[in-house]
Amino acid sequence: MTGMMFPKEKKRKNKRKSPKNVMVKGRKRLWSIFSVNMNRCMYTGSSEVERHHVFHHTSEEKIRCEEYGFIAPLRPDLHPNGARAGRYAVQVDRDLKERSREYYLTNYGTEEDFRREFYYVS
């Protein structure tokens, strides 16, 4: 059998390159439209925080959240998909999604663009 090549070459996935200001010393540098200080809860000011990606259904949505700054520093009991989510976590999640939507419409595009990029149910 001529023409067969072994071993076959592995196909590599195209990786999306992060902007230069996102990577600092090999670590992600997350930023937020909601808060300047990512080490304090944006609602309570607590220093115990978890960083919440507002839209998190797919890995693509998480990447877009990092690009647009839709990340919120939250106290663990306010983190909607955290292990210690409290009773106000659902309200916090709705508030963050609505604020992100408004920011996107003001600065980036239309409602259709927003719905195309993020899974969003009003």
Side-chain angles (χ1 to χ4, degrees):
M1 293 188 191
T2 60
M4 293 189 81
M5 302 293 284
F6 291 100
K8 291 184 179 180
E9 290 184 31
K10 294 181 179 179
K11 293 183 180 180
R12 295 184 183 206
K13 293 181 180 179
N14 293 335
K15 291 185 178 179
R16 180 183 268 181
K17 293 182 181 178
S18 300
K20 290 179 183 176
N21 64 344
V22 172
M23 297 299 286
V24 176
K25 295 182 183 176
R27 292 184 11 205
K28 284 185 184 176
R29 182 174 156 245
L30 300 177
W31 64 282
S32 176
I33 63 168
F34 306 112
S35 175
V36 177
N37 188 352
M38 291 295 287
N39 297 319
R40 295 271 176 197
C41 175
M42 60 181 276
Y43 289 104
T44 64
S46 171
S47 62
E48 184 182 0
V49 295
E50 294 178 355
R51 286 159 186 95
H52 171 60
H53 290 75
V54 177
F55 301 99
H56 54 271
H57 295 94
T58 65
S59 59
E60 285 294 316
E61 281 187 343
K62 287 185 179 182
I63 290 169
R64 287 190 205 111
C65 282
E66 291 172 6
E67 289 173 359
Y68 291 120
F70 298 157
I71 297 174
L74 299 173
R75 199 172 62 194
D77 64 319
L78 296 177
H79 191 190
N81 51 339
R84 298 182 277 173
R87 66 181 190 180
Y88 297 112
V90 174
Q91 293 170 348
V92 167
D93 192 40
R94 283 189 199 131
D95 178 52
L96 292 173
K97 285 182 178 176
E98 184 59 33
R99 289 170 65 180
S100 298
R101 183 181 146 284
E102 290 171 4
Y103 186 86
Y104 185 93
L105 296 178
T106 304
N107 297 299
Y108 297 113
T110 65
E111 183 78 30
E112 292 81 30
D113 296 334
F114 180 75
R115 289 181 187 271
R116 199 174 311 121
E117 287 198 55
F118 297 102
Y119 173 80
Y120 179 74
V121 178
S122 55

